[in-house]
Amino acid sequence: MLVFAHCKSHKFDVSPELLQIDNLMWLQPDSATHELSRFWANYNIDSTDAFNKHYFNLLVSEALFKGGYPQSNRKRLLKAVDYFDTTDCWLSARAHYMNGVGLKANDSIIEALGEYLHVLDIMDEHIPTPPHPRFMMLIHCRIGDLFSEQYMQEPAIVCYENALRYNDYGETNPLTRSYLLQDLGFQYDKLQKYDTARYYYNEALRFLPDTTDVLYPKVLFYLAMLDCTSGSDFEHGIVELKRLASQCSESNRDWRYVNIGLIYQEAGPVDSALVYFQKAFDTGINDAMKSFVAEFIYEIYENQGDTLKMTEFAKYLIEKPSNERVSMARVSTLNSMFQDYLTRHQERLQHQNRKRIIITVSIVLAIVLLMVSIIVKLINKKRTIENQKLQEEKERLQKGFEDSKRQQFETLQKRVKSIFKEKNNNSLPLIINEFKLVYLDILNNISKDYPNLSETEKNILILTLLNFRIKEEAVILNLSENTIMKYRSNLKKKVDFDQISSQIR
């Protein structure tokens, strides 16, 4: 069962009635056909816009197909094919598919396959993934049927496997799955890969939801045929074939008689083969079947030397010639067309994979670059925070050091001022000693950096650093104030007073 998605074209004013019919088409085909009749009665199709006119004719062809009727609107359908080729790729695929159905019904096998493969090209190139899996299942199944009828088992297997994959893509239809598994088993049966064929036949029975379905006796028949042709249990297979042949409908009985006859012809006895060929000939519902069987009967009578019977069937074969055997040239053409499609499909997949890889790599690179950018920003932010903390800690330590140095200087200054007040002009040794206790390194550096300083100059330098006034220095050193001023003036020329002062304050 196939459900066609609604037409989603935004270029045209699509009739909502046709959209509703489209939705019903494969869910309730009888209702869809009825609605198409009502639409025809209520609207003048030839006067409506081109899009809806061709859309209507496409739906009519699908309704005919679903109802098992021949395409009576071929000319209108072909116009729809040409129209949708330039307007809507999804409806174009459906129109080409229906054209392929019509061509196949008219035995235009090569042209039908060309249309089917064109549908796959359209779906591969223009329809986004997932590309309508139920439609894809149907088209692969139709191509598989075409190859199977031409005895091209290998490409048929590829198509049925694809159809099975699309059927399982979304919500699996067990009945459809059983039919596809049976189709696969039949292809392997024809290739004489009996173990694989038996596996698929049994899988078809396992997934079959209802044993009343016509597929059930059909698969049992194939399994019985396997018992005969593979030699695993010939007698049981023949008994089962006879039982199934006796129970099947008139429309299926003839080809089952043919298969039993073929087995007997292969394994003997030939008389038994003749019995079943004759039954198939007598019950044959079409000339193709009767002609096909007549050839085997003629061959048996020829080997037996029965001239009378030979003449009877020779006359029939002349009047009703059998269908010509599958043309090797046609098989070659079909196989070449399919291989060309597979090549195109593979190239498209490779292109899509390369594109997907490029996109994936681009996305990954973008993500990596974004992550690197974020990480760099985080690292820089962390580093900035850490540097800020380090700077704050440094400033805190520096401030603490400066506060400590200032407190140390202020404490020293208080002591030496106190010494000066107590000892007056006899306080110099004590003051110098207090300075040494705190700033011995500085005092040593002064002696090292300025070795030409006199002892008096060193004393005046120390007292000045300790913020003693000129008058106080004059008392401590027992010198005049003018003399102290001269010493200070000369010291400023010899010593970097500010640099030394910064070390102690």
Side-chain angles (χ1 to χ4, degrees), residues 44 61 68 78 107 146 275 359:
N44 184 353
S61 68
L78 293 176
D107 292 328
L146 185 150
V275 170
I359 293 174

Side-chain angles (χ1 to χ4, degrees), residues 184 192 257 404 434:
L184 281 167
Q192 297 183 359
Y257 283 149
S404 176
E434 288 291 332

